[in-house]
Amino acid sequence: MPRGRARAAGAAAAEGARNRARAAEKEREKLRRRELRKQLKRQRMEELGEDFVEEEDIERFELCNIVKVLDVVREKKKNSKMAFSLMRYVVFIGIYLFVVITQRNAWDAESMYGALGDYMTGAYRDPTSLELLSFGDLTTTGELWDWMENGLVPLLYVEQQTNYEPYPLWKDHTLMRFNRVTTGFRIAQRRSKRENCNLGNTKWDNFVPFGSCHARTYSQSLLGSVDREPFFSADAKTEYIYETVEVGLPGSGSFDVGYFQYFDLNQTFAKEKLRELKRQRWLNEGTQWCRIEAVVYNPNLGAFGVLQFVMDFDNSGFFKTRFNKEVINAANYANYVDAARAALEFVVVLLWGTYVLGVTTSAIVLAKLEKKTWVYFQDPINCLFTGQLVVFALIGGLWVTIVNDPSRSNLIVDRTQILDKSQGPPSFTSSVLLNQAYYIANGLNILLAVFRLLSFFRVNHNLSMLTDTLGFMIGELFQFGFVLLTLLVAFMLMTHIYFGQYLSQFSSLDDNFQNVFEFLFSQADFFILAEADFVAAYVFFIPFTFIMVFVVSNITIAIILDGYTAMQARMEQLMMSNIKVVVELSFLTQVWHGFVRSLQPIKRVVPKSWSVLETPNGAVLDRFTVPSRREVLEILTDQADYDNPVTVFSILKENLKDKNVDDDRLLSIFDRYDAWVDPIDIEPDMSELQIKQFTILKQSIYTIMADQKRIDAKINTLVEIFPTLP
């Protein structure tokens, strides 16, 4: 930790300890004085010949703190409003999460997802090497053709039952008992243009394999030097055309592009067509990207399984394989559970609309009051919630698009196959992208909801520790993030230069950044780096470990500790303030008080013990009959003087005569909020002479108060002996 921060943290901790010690000493002195007053009262009552009653000992003084009452009431009123907003938001988010979870149906989707993945990536025996290979082991185009013929087609086109009898026509091509292939499969490829090799010397052109080179393409070969011209087969008899195919229903606006080959539901014909395409070199040096797509339907789950085998061909001759699979519901509203979810979806939209209306109204009202257009959005919490409402709108738009996605509606279904209206195989490429975007947006929204809930935790000062710590440290941490990002980029470039040509995880910038970031959490393997380049491993690893692990990580921890220390200092200040009684409340106590307060309309049937309110000064009040917060504010707001918060209670009663406030209700206000002030607690900022004079004044006040109590006791005795005649 830097020296300045350590000194500041130590000073704050020491000041907090001194404040706690002073508060404890003050409480002990208060208890001592209270016990002394009891003894004096006992003596006076014995002098008057009356019994001393313990339970009537209520600690009241002639001085009261109006400002303290108002501060506590306003703090509690603010917390109550925030608690109501929290409950409303929790209901809103709870309904929303239930809707999203039921939409996702992760249990069934994962089961189908895993089953199809394990089944379709099974091993096959290579006809040349006789080795067992899987889709992920493919390294050459020849192996790819062999896998399609000997691995993909037998797995996809199941024509025999487990007893080796052929499937009936209306049951064939069913995988793992329940997953039936809809309409064969199709292969799509995208290609790059031929171009000059630009090697700097024409002599190298003599050794170019095909007389020219091919440009690089990007983003699934949709960008870059993409070739859209027809190309011919090896025997120059067949021309392959670049197509723009509308996927889903006509007019859907979703298109797929490339060179396509379609395979019907016949294993023999599919294998023959694959052999012919292999002979005609349909996949050749111009191929940059290839996708094999098939769709299965599971009636038990009411879902389609989209299978996509993707190959990215690199100009080095190497190609990467990946198997994408996605589970998509065949219908969004098919049963009573879906109907119930639809009703909850409507509730979510309705609640979202009320929030949007509330935010808009608040922003307009605040802008008019402050005469600044964007003043509402200067509060980070308001910006966070507004951003979440925008994300909700995006999610709603995506869901409406998914529900109305033409790829699934009005499919033509018979006993042997499923087709779309164009009589082609169903394609769910756009549906997969929509589903992925929808659930990514929901994940982001849940993260925003967590931050929003953390902001609501300020309803209780013990729960708000994390929120306040984040608030104190976020500015400094955000600025330090720029330094961290600069260092990460520098080390990322080092690893890319040193190890990019040897290790695949450092060859691309996105994978490189991910791996360097993981190195921060001690996941770096020095020996793998050393195998690639022994010298470069030391040049990178030692500075990275020293700077990022030993220095940067500890500075980050120091910033977090600074925020925590600032939060603790703030808590110490609040404990010394007027709202100490609110700060000390636990969350469960707040919940209980709020629950009991909500029972006001049915207070007659509430257990009597629930209505008992014991105050810190010893008074016992009825929770349902004491003045409400609104009433307290109406009574005392215009009586508050923040420069002189303490006033004489008798003077306050005189000032409130016009409001016809009952004395007992007024007493209960100061009893409830422990706002009586002992003259000895007043600590003015005076000179030594003034302090002596003030001490004499306080002693005089004590004498007057004692004499007044003695006179009151004698008057009460006389009234009892000589009652007033009617």
Side-chain angles (χ1 to χ4, degrees), residues 243-282:
E243 301 177 69
T244 299
V245 179
E246 188 172 24
V247 295
L249 298 181
S252 65
S254 300
F255 297 93
D256 196 5
V257 295
Y259 303 87
F260 297 95
Q261 295 292 330
Y262 299 92
F263 296 80
D264 295 330
L265 283 171
N266 187 293
Q267 184 176 136
T268 303
F269 290 162
K271 288 186 175 182
E272 289 179 356
K273 188 170 183 178
L274 286 173
R275 296 189 195 103
E276 180 62 22
L277 290 173
K278 180 179 180 180
R279 282 194 298 268
Q280 301 301 333
R281 298 187 67 248
W282 187 72

mmCIF file of all heavy atoms in Angstrom, residues 243-282:
data_model
loop_
_atom_site.group_PDB
_atom_site.id
_atom_site.type_symbol
_atom_site.label_atom_id
_atom_site.label_comp_id
_atom_site.label_asym_id
_atom_site.label_seq_id
_atom_site.Cartn_x
_atom_site.Cartn_y
_atom_site.Cartn_z
ATOM 1 N N GLU A 243 -25.100 -18.512 -54.656
ATOM 2 C CA GLU A 243 -26.531 -18.293 -54.451
ATOM 3 C C GLU A 243 -26.782 -17.421 -53.223
ATOM 4 O O GLU A 243 -26.012 -17.441 -52.253
ATOM 5 C CB GLU A 243 -27.262 -19.620 -54.252
ATOM 6 C CG GLU A 243 -27.138 -20.592 -55.409
ATOM 7 C CD GLU A 243 -27.822 -21.905 -55.105
ATOM 8 O OE1 GLU A 243 -29.068 -21.911 -55.027
ATOM 9 O OE2 GLU A 243 -27.110 -22.917 -54.921
ATOM 10 N N THR A 244 -27.870 -16.685 -53.305
ATOM 11 C CA THR A 244 -28.411 -15.968 -52.143
ATOM 12 C C THR A 244 -29.752 -16.607 -51.821
ATOM 13 O O THR A 244 -30.728 -16.432 -52.543
ATOM 14 C CB THR A 244 -28.589 -14.477 -52.437
ATOM 15 O OG1 THR A 244 -27.310 -13.908 -52.760
ATOM 16 C CG2 THR A 244 -29.165 -13.750 -51.233
ATOM 17 N N VAL A 245 -29.785 -17.370 -50.746
ATOM 18 C CA VAL A 245 -30.953 -18.187 -50.424
ATOM 19 C C VAL A 245 -31.685 -17.558 -49.254
ATOM 20 O O VAL A 245 -31.096 -17.242 -48.211
ATOM 21 C CB VAL A 245 -30.527 -19.631 -50.070
ATOM 22 C CG1 VAL A 245 -31.744 -20.467 -49.706
ATOM 23 C CG2 VAL A 245 -29.765 -20.251 -51.226
ATOM 24 N N GLU A 246 -32.984 -17.371 -49.442
ATOM 25 C CA GLU A 246 -33.815 -16.858 -48.356
ATOM 26 C C GLU A 246 -34.159 -18.022 -47.433
ATOM 27 O O GLU A 246 -34.777 -19.002 -47.853
ATOM 28 C CB GLU A 246 -35.085 -16.222 -48.909
ATOM 29 C CG GLU A 246 -35.899 -15.490 -47.845
ATOM 30 C CD GLU A 246 -37.052 -14.711 -48.453
ATOM 31 O OE1 GLU A 246 -37.494 -15.080 -49.554
ATOM 32 O OE2 GLU A 246 -37.504 -13.744 -47.821
ATOM 33 N N VAL A 247 -33.738 -17.912 -46.178
ATOM 34 C CA VAL A 247 -33.996 -18.980 -45.215
ATOM 35 C C VAL A 247 -35.294 -18.678 -44.489
ATOM 36 O O VAL A 247 -35.660 -17.533 -44.266
ATOM 37 C CB VAL A 247 -32.832 -19.116 -44.218
ATOM 38 C CG1 VAL A 247 -31.583 -19.547 -44.935
ATOM 39 C CG2 VAL A 247 -32.582 -17.811 -43.472
ATOM 40 N N GLY A 248 -36.004 -19.702 -44.107
ATOM 41 C CA GLY A 248 -37.306 -19.508 -43.498
ATOM 42 C C GLY A 248 -38.365 -19.376 -44.573
ATOM 43 O O GLY A 248 -38.306 -20.000 -45.631
ATOM 44 N N LEU A 249 -39.340 -18.519 -44.333
ATOM 45 C CA LEU A 249 -40.440 -18.336 -45.260
ATOM 46 C C LEU A 249 -40.153 -17.207 -46.229
ATOM 47 O O LEU A 249 -39.386 -16.293 -45.930
ATOM 48 C CB LEU A 249 -41.726 -18.027 -44.486
ATOM 49 C CG LEU A 249 -42.208 -19.124 -43.524
ATOM 50 C CD1 LEU A 249 -43.484 -18.680 -42.862
ATOM 51 C CD2 LEU A 249 -42.404 -20.436 -44.253
ATOM 52 N N PRO A 250 -40.772 -17.240 -47.409
ATOM 53 C CA PRO A 250 -40.608 -16.120 -48.347
ATOM 54 C C PRO A 250 -41.040 -14.806 -47.712
ATOM 55 O O PRO A 250 -42.064 -14.722 -47.048
ATOM 56 C CB PRO A 250 -41.529 -16.515 -49.513
ATOM 57 C CG PRO A 250 -41.655 -17.999 -49.415
ATOM 58 C CD PRO A 250 -41.588 -18.331 -47.967
ATOM 59 N N GLY A 251 -40.228 -13.793 -47.918
ATOM 60 C CA GLY A 251 -40.507 -12.484 -47.335
ATOM 61 C C GLY A 251 -39.993 -12.305 -45.936
ATOM 62 O O GLY A 251 -40.245 -11.285 -45.295
ATOM 63 N N SER A 252 -39.260 -13.283 -45.426
ATOM 64 C CA SER A 252 -38.767 -13.176 -44.059
ATOM 65 C C SER A 252 -37.631 -12.176 -43.923
ATOM 66 O O SER A 252 -37.383 -11.640 -42.848
ATOM 67 C CB SER A 252 -38.283 -14.556 -43.571
ATOM 68 O OG SER A 252 -37.147 -14.980 -44.328
ATOM 69 N N GLY A 253 -36.894 -11.915 -45.007
ATOM 70 C CA GLY A 253 -35.772 -10.984 -44.937
ATOM 71 C C GLY A 253 -34.494 -11.604 -44.420
ATOM 72 O O GLY A 253 -33.505 -10.899 -44.213
ATOM 73 N N SER A 254 -34.474 -12.926 -44.164
ATOM 74 C CA SER A 254 -33.275 -13.618 -43.696
ATOM 75 C C SER A 254 -32.669 -14.386 -44.862
ATOM 76 O O SER A 254 -33.363 -15.156 -45.536
ATOM 77 C CB SER A 254 -33.626 -14.584 -42.557
ATOM 78 O OG SER A 254 -34.186 -13.880 -41.469
ATOM 79 N N PHE A 255 -31.375 -14.176 -45.093
ATOM 80 C CA PHE A 255 -30.732 -14.779 -46.248
ATOM 81 C C PHE A 255 -29.457 -15.496 -45.829
ATOM 82 O O PHE A 255 -28.802 -15.139 -44.845
ATOM 83 C CB PHE A 255 -30.387 -13.705 -47.288
ATOM 84 C CG PHE A 255 -31.596 -12.997 -47.853
ATOM 85 C CD1 PHE A 255 -32.052 -11.825 -47.285
ATOM 86 C CD2 PHE A 255 -32.277 -13.523 -48.941
ATOM 87 C CE1 PHE A 255 -33.160 -11.176 -47.790
ATOM 88 C CE2 PHE A 255 -33.390 -12.881 -49.456
ATOM 89 C CZ PHE A 255 -33.835 -11.700 -48.884
ATOM 90 N N ASP A 256 -29.129 -16.518 -46.585
ATOM 91 C CA ASP A 256 -27.864 -17.229 -46.462
ATOM 92 C C ASP A 256 -27.201 -17.221 -47.832
ATOM 93 O O ASP A 256 -27.888 -17.329 -48.861
ATOM 94 C CB ASP A 256 -28.098 -18.660 -45.985
ATOM 95 C CG ASP A 256 -26.819 -19.300 -45.464
ATOM 96 O OD1 ASP A 256 -25.793 -18.596 -45.386
ATOM 97 O OD2 ASP A 256 -26.852 -20.505 -45.136
ATOM 98 N N VAL A 257 -25.881 -17.063 -47.860
ATOM 99 C CA VAL A 257 -25.181 -16.923 -49.138
ATOM 100 C C VAL A 257 -24.064 -17.957 -49.225
ATOM 101 O O VAL A 257 -23.549 -18.443 -48.215
ATOM 102 C CB VAL A 257 -24.595 -15.507 -49.296
ATOM 103 C CG1 VAL A 257 -25.712 -14.470 -49.361
ATOM 104 C CG2 VAL A 257 -23.640 -15.173 -48.146
ATOM 105 N N GLY A 258 -23.707 -18.295 -50.453
ATOM 106 C CA GLY A 258 -22.614 -19.218 -50.697
ATOM 107 C C GLY A 258 -22.942 -20.176 -51.831
ATOM 108 O O GLY A 258 -23.880 -19.983 -52.613
ATOM 109 N N TYR A 259 -22.166 -21.249 -51.917
ATOM 110 C CA TYR A 259 -22.375 -22.320 -52.893
ATOM 111 C C TYR A 259 -22.951 -23.507 -52.118
ATOM 112 O O TYR A 259 -22.333 -23.983 -51.157
ATOM 113 C CB TYR A 259 -21.054 -22.694 -53.558
ATOM 114 C CG TYR A 259 -20.378 -21.523 -54.244
ATOM 115 C CD1 TYR A 259 -19.535 -20.675 -53.544
ATOM 116 C CD2 TYR A 259 -20.581 -21.279 -55.601
ATOM 117 C CE1 TYR A 259 -18.909 -19.609 -54.170
ATOM 118 C CE2 TYR A 259 -19.950 -20.212 -56.240
ATOM 119 C CZ TYR A 259 -19.123 -19.379 -55.514
ATOM 120 O OH TYR A 259 -18.501 -18.309 -56.139
ATOM 121 N N PHE A 260 -24.131 -23.981 -52.510
ATOM 122 C CA PHE A 260 -24.881 -24.949 -51.711
ATOM 123 C C PHE A 260 -24.996 -26.289 -52.425
ATOM 124 O O PHE A 260 -25.087 -26.363 -53.654
ATOM 125 C CB PHE A 260 -26.293 -24.423 -51.425
ATOM 126 C CG PHE A 260 -26.312 -23.163 -50.597
ATOM 127 C CD1 PHE A 260 -26.386 -21.919 -51.213
ATOM 128 C CD2 PHE A 260 -26.244 -23.218 -49.223
ATOM 129 C CE1 PHE A 260 -26.411 -20.756 -50.471
ATOM 130 C CE2 PHE A 260 -26.264 -22.060 -48.465
ATOM 131 C CZ PHE A 260 -26.350 -20.822 -49.086
ATOM 132 N N GLN A 261 -25.006 -27.357 -51.602
ATOM 133 C CA GLN A 261 -25.292 -28.715 -52.058
ATOM 134 C C GLN A 261 -26.297 -29.324 -51.083
ATOM 135 O O GLN A 261 -26.118 -29.249 -49.862
ATOM 136 C CB GLN A 261 -24.023 -29.573 -52.108
ATOM 137 C CG GLN A 261 -23.005 -29.115 -53.130
ATOM 138 C CD GLN A 261 -23.494 -29.323 -54.562
ATOM 139 O OE1 GLN A 261 -24.273 -30.237 -54.846
ATOM 140 N NE2 GLN A 261 -23.023 -28.468 -55.475
ATOM 141 N N TYR A 262 -27.371 -29.938 -51.631
ATOM 142 C CA TYR A 262 -28.445 -30.488 -50.804
ATOM 143 C C TYR A 262 -28.455 -32.015 -50.920
ATOM 144 O O TYR A 262 -28.242 -32.576 -52.001
ATOM 145 C CB TYR A 262 -29.800 -29.926 -51.242
ATOM 146 C CG TYR A 262 -29.896 -28.428 -51.103
ATOM 147 C CD1 TYR A 262 -29.574 -27.597 -52.177
ATOM 148 C CD2 TYR A 262 -30.300 -27.852 -49.909
ATOM 149 C CE1 TYR A 262 -29.654 -26.211 -52.049
ATOM 150 C CE2 TYR A 262 -30.393 -26.475 -49.781
ATOM 151 C CZ TYR A 262 -30.066 -25.654 -50.848
ATOM 152 O OH TYR A 262 -30.144 -24.291 -50.723
ATOM 153 N N PHE A 263 -28.741 -32.679 -49.808
ATOM 154 C CA PHE A 263 -28.731 -34.138 -49.739
ATOM 155 C C PHE A 263 -30.064 -34.623 -49.199
ATOM 156 O O PHE A 263 -30.501 -34.215 -48.115
ATOM 157 C CB PHE A 263 -27.594 -34.624 -48.845
ATOM 158 C CG PHE A 263 -26.224 -34.290 -49.370
ATOM 159 C CD1 PHE A 263 -25.693 -33.018 -49.183
ATOM 160 C CD2 PHE A 263 -25.486 -35.229 -50.060
ATOM 161 C CE1 PHE A 263 -24.441 -32.704 -49.668
ATOM 162 C CE2 PHE A 263 -24.225 -34.919 -50.552
ATOM 163 C CZ PHE A 263 -23.704 -33.647 -50.356
ATOM 164 N N ASP A 264 -30.728 -35.514 -49.974
ATOM 165 C CA ASP A 264 -32.031 -36.032 -49.586
ATOM 166 C C ASP A 264 -31.888 -37.111 -48.518
ATOM 167 O O ASP A 264 -30.781 -37.529 -48.161
ATOM 168 C CB ASP A 264 -32.762 -36.607 -50.805
ATOM 169 C CG ASP A 264 -33.091 -35.516 -51.819
ATOM 170 O OD1 ASP A 264 -33.299 -34.370 -51.382
ATOM 171 O OD2 ASP A 264 -33.116 -35.811 -53.036
ATOM 172 N N LEU A 265 -33.054 -37.569 -48.039
ATOM 173 C CA LEU A 265 -33.087 -38.582 -46.990
ATOM 174 C C LEU A 265 -32.877 -39.979 -47.582
ATOM 175 O O LEU A 265 -33.763 -40.833 -47.562
ATOM 176 C CB LEU A 265 -34.430 -38.512 -46.244
ATOM 177 C CG LEU A 265 -34.567 -37.372 -45.232
ATOM 178 C CD1 LEU A 265 -35.998 -37.275 -44.736
ATOM 179 C CD2 LEU A 265 -33.624 -37.590 -44.057
ATOM 180 N N ASN A 266 -31.698 -40.204 -48.149
ATOM 181 C CA ASN A 266 -31.358 -41.516 -48.689
ATOM 182 C C ASN A 266 -29.864 -41.707 -48.510
ATOM 183 O O ASN A 266 -29.061 -40.974 -49.094
ATOM 184 C CB ASN A 266 -31.752 -41.618 -50.160
ATOM 185 C CG ASN A 266 -31.573 -43.024 -50.701
ATOM 186 O OD1 ASN A 266 -30.453 -43.522 -50.816
ATOM 187 N ND2 ASN A 266 -32.693 -43.670 -51.044
ATOM 188 N N GLN A 267 -29.480 -42.681 -47.706
ATOM 189 C CA GLN A 267 -28.074 -42.864 -47.374
ATOM 190 C C GLN A 267 -27.249 -43.221 -48.598
ATOM 191 O O GLN A 267 -26.146 -42.684 -48.793
ATOM 192 C CB GLN A 267 -27.925 -43.952 -46.300
ATOM 193 C CG GLN A 267 -26.497 -44.134 -45.826
ATOM 194 C CD GLN A 267 -26.372 -45.136 -44.703
ATOM 195 O OE1 GLN A 267 -25.471 -45.960 -44.718
ATOM 196 N NE2 GLN A 267 -27.277 -45.079 -43.718
ATOM 197 N N THR A 268 -27.757 -44.081 -49.455
ATOM 198 C CA THR A 268 -26.988 -44.503 -50.635
ATOM 199 C C THR A 268 -26.744 -43.335 -51.575
ATOM 200 O O THR A 268 -25.612 -43.100 -52.024
ATOM 201 C CB THR A 268 -27.731 -45.631 -51.367
ATOM 202 O OG1 THR A 268 -27.952 -46.720 -50.464
ATOM 203 C CG2 THR A 268 -26.936 -46.111 -52.557
ATOM 204 N N PHE A 269 -27.805 -42.580 -51.876
ATOM 205 C CA PHE A 269 -27.657 -41.434 -52.769
ATOM 206 C C PHE A 269 -26.755 -40.368 -52.151
ATOM 207 O O PHE A 269 -25.973 -39.714 -52.858
ATOM 208 C CB PHE A 269 -29.028 -40.833 -53.089
ATOM 209 C CG PHE A 269 -29.876 -41.711 -53.964
ATOM 210 C CD1 PHE A 269 -31.258 -41.521 -54.046
ATOM 211 C CD2 PHE A 269 -29.304 -42.748 -54.701
ATOM 212 C CE1 PHE A 269 -32.042 -42.330 -54.854
ATOM 213 C CE2 PHE A 269 -30.083 -43.564 -55.508
ATOM 214 C CZ PHE A 269 -31.458 -43.360 -55.578
ATOM 215 N N ALA A 270 -26.833 -40.179 -50.825
ATOM 216 C CA ALA A 270 -25.998 -39.178 -50.164
ATOM 217 C C ALA A 270 -24.522 -39.549 -50.288
ATOM 218 O O ALA A 270 -23.678 -38.693 -50.589
ATOM 219 C CB ALA A 270 -26.393 -39.054 -48.697
ATOM 220 N N LYS A 271 -24.188 -40.822 -50.100
ATOM 221 C CA LYS A 271 -22.790 -41.239 -50.224
ATOM 222 C C LYS A 271 -22.295 -41.101 -51.657
ATOM 223 O O LYS A 271 -21.155 -40.673 -51.899
ATOM 224 C CB LYS A 271 -22.632 -42.678 -49.732
ATOM 225 C CG LYS A 271 -22.752 -42.827 -48.217
ATOM 226 C CD LYS A 271 -22.446 -44.255 -47.785
ATOM 227 C CE LYS A 271 -22.441 -44.391 -46.278
ATOM 228 N NZ LYS A 271 -22.090 -45.764 -45.837
ATOM 229 N N GLU A 272 -23.124 -41.471 -52.614
ATOM 230 C CA GLU A 272 -22.717 -41.345 -54.018
ATOM 231 C C GLU A 272 -22.482 -39.881 -54.390
ATOM 232 O O GLU A 272 -21.523 -39.555 -55.096
ATOM 233 C CB GLU A 272 -23.799 -41.947 -54.919
ATOM 234 C CG GLU A 272 -23.883 -43.464 -54.853
ATOM 235 C CD GLU A 272 -24.976 -44.022 -55.747
ATOM 236 O OE1 GLU A 272 -25.705 -43.200 -56.357
ATOM 237 O OE2 GLU A 272 -25.113 -45.259 -55.828
ATOM 238 N N LYS A 273 -23.333 -39.002 -53.914
ATOM 239 C CA LYS A 273 -23.161 -37.580 -54.223
ATOM 240 C C LYS A 273 -21.896 -37.035 -53.568
ATOM 241 O O LYS A 273 -21.174 -36.219 -54.161
ATOM 242 C CB LYS A 273 -24.380 -36.794 -53.752
ATOM 243 C CG LYS A 273 -24.369 -35.342 -54.197
ATOM 244 C CD LYS A 273 -25.702 -34.658 -53.910
ATOM 245 C CE LYS A 273 -25.691 -33.225 -54.437
ATOM 246 N NZ LYS A 273 -26.996 -32.549 -54.226
ATOM 247 N N LEU A 274 -21.579 -37.481 -52.367
ATOM 248 C CA LEU A 274 -20.356 -37.039 -51.704
ATOM 249 C C LEU A 274 -19.124 -37.505 -52.479
ATOM 250 O O LEU A 274 -18.156 -36.753 -52.641
ATOM 251 C CB LEU A 274 -20.320 -37.569 -50.265
ATOM 252 C CG LEU A 274 -21.247 -36.883 -49.255
ATOM 253 C CD1 LEU A 274 -21.236 -37.632 -47.926
ATOM 254 C CD2 LEU A 274 -20.825 -35.432 -49.035
ATOM 255 N N ARG A 275 -19.162 -38.750 -52.964
ATOM 256 C CA ARG A 275 -18.013 -39.237 -53.737
ATOM 257 C C ARG A 275 -17.854 -38.426 -55.021
ATOM 258 O O ARG A 275 -16.733 -38.110 -55.433
ATOM 259 C CB ARG A 275 -18.210 -40.720 -54.058
ATOM 260 C CG ARG A 275 -18.236 -41.635 -52.833
ATOM 261 C CD ARG A 275 -18.204 -43.100 -53.252
ATOM 262 N NE ARG A 275 -18.587 -43.972 -52.153
ATOM 263 C CZ ARG A 275 -19.765 -44.556 -52.033
ATOM 264 N NH1 ARG A 275 -20.692 -44.377 -52.971
ATOM 265 N NH2 ARG A 275 -20.028 -45.338 -51.008
ATOM 266 N N GLU A 276 -18.968 -38.078 -55.653
ATOM 267 C CA GLU A 276 -18.897 -37.300 -56.885
ATOM 268 C C GLU A 276 -18.344 -35.904 -56.621
ATOM 269 O O GLU A 276 -17.504 -35.401 -57.386
ATOM 270 C CB GLU A 276 -20.288 -37.211 -57.517
ATOM 271 C CG GLU A 276 -20.353 -36.416 -58.813
ATOM 272 C CD GLU A 276 -19.504 -37.017 -59.923
ATOM 273 O OE1 GLU A 276 -19.193 -38.224 -59.864
ATOM 274 O OE2 GLU A 276 -19.145 -36.266 -60.853
ATOM 275 N N LEU A 277 -18.769 -35.270 -55.553
ATOM 276 C CA LEU A 277 -18.252 -33.943 -55.206
ATOM 277 C C LEU A 277 -16.759 -34.013 -54.880
ATOM 278 O O LEU A 277 -15.996 -33.094 -55.208
ATOM 279 C CB LEU A 277 -19.023 -33.365 -54.013
ATOM 280 C CG LEU A 277 -20.479 -32.956 -54.278
ATOM 281 C CD1 LEU A 277 -21.162 -32.553 -52.972
ATOM 282 C CD2 LEU A 277 -20.531 -31.798 -55.276
ATOM 283 N N LYS A 278 -16.348 -35.110 -54.272
ATOM 284 C CA LYS A 278 -14.928 -35.271 -53.974
ATOM 285 C C LYS A 278 -14.131 -35.425 -55.257
ATOM 286 O O LYS A 278 -13.045 -34.828 -55.412
ATOM 287 C CB LYS A 278 -14.732 -36.492 -53.062
ATOM 288 C CG LYS A 278 -13.284 -36.755 -52.675
ATOM 289 C CD LYS A 278 -13.182 -37.968 -51.757
ATOM 290 C CE LYS A 278 -11.721 -38.223 -51.375
ATOM 291 N NZ LYS A 278 -11.609 -39.415 -50.486
ATOM 292 N N ARG A 279 -14.659 -36.188 -56.211
ATOM 293 C CA ARG A 279 -13.957 -36.367 -57.489
ATOM 294 C C ARG A 279 -13.876 -35.050 -58.261
ATOM 295 O O ARG A 279 -12.875 -34.774 -58.917
ATOM 296 C CB ARG A 279 -14.679 -37.422 -58.336
ATOM 297 C CG ARG A 279 -14.403 -38.857 -57.929
ATOM 298 C CD ARG A 279 -14.866 -39.837 -58.996
ATOM 299 N NE ARG A 279 -16.324 -39.744 -59.205
ATOM 300 C CZ ARG A 279 -17.199 -40.496 -58.557
ATOM 301 N NH1 ARG A 279 -16.782 -41.389 -57.657
ATOM 302 N NH2 ARG A 279 -18.494 -40.376 -58.805
ATOM 303 N N GLN A 280 -14.915 -34.246 -58.179
ATOM 304 C CA GLN A 280 -14.949 -32.978 -58.919
ATOM 305 C C GLN A 280 -14.297 -31.832 -58.141
ATOM 306 O O GLN A 280 -14.320 -30.695 -58.610
ATOM 307 C CB GLN A 280 -16.404 -32.615 -59.261
ATOM 308 C CG GLN A 280 -17.121 -33.652 -60.107
ATOM 309 C CD GLN A 280 -16.418 -33.896 -61.432
ATOM 310 O OE1 GLN A 280 -15.724 -33.023 -61.967
ATOM 311 N NE2 GLN A 280 -16.571 -35.112 -61.963
ATOM 312 N N ARG A 281 -13.698 -32.165 -56.994
ATOM 313 C CA ARG A 281 -12.976 -31.172 -56.177
ATOM 314 C C ARG A 281 -13.855 -29.951 -55.892
ATOM 315 O O ARG A 281 -13.478 -28.801 -56.119
ATOM 316 C CB ARG A 281 -11.668 -30.750 -56.844
ATOM 317 C CG ARG A 281 -10.683 -31.911 -57.021
ATOM 318 C CD ARG A 281 -9.320 -31.455 -57.536
ATOM 319 N NE ARG A 281 -8.633 -30.643 -56.546
ATOM 320 C CZ ARG A 281 -8.391 -29.330 -56.682
ATOM 321 N NH1 ARG A 281 -8.800 -28.684 -57.761
ATOM 322 N NH2 ARG A 281 -7.745 -28.669 -55.752
ATOM 323 N N TRP A 282 -15.044 -30.223 -55.369
ATOM 324 C CA TRP A 282 -15.949 -29.111 -55.013
ATOM 325 C C TRP A 282 -15.335 -28.260 -53.900
ATOM 326 O O TRP A 282 -15.496 -27.045 -53.874
ATOM 327 C CB TRP A 282 -17.300 -29.690 -54.590
ATOM 328 C CG TRP A 282 -18.358 -28.641 -54.362
ATOM 329 C CD1 TRP A 282 -18.997 -27.900 -55.317
ATOM 330 C CD2 TRP A 282 -18.905 -28.227 -53.104
ATOM 331 N NE1 TRP A 282 -19.902 -27.044 -54.736
ATOM 332 C CE2 TRP A 282 -19.872 -27.225 -53.362
ATOM 333 C CE3 TRP A 282 -18.678 -28.600 -51.780
ATOM 334 C CZ2 TRP A 282 -20.597 -26.598 -52.359
ATOM 335 C CZ3 TRP A 282 -19.414 -27.987 -50.775
ATOM 336 C CH2 TRP A 282 -20.354 -26.997 -51.068
#
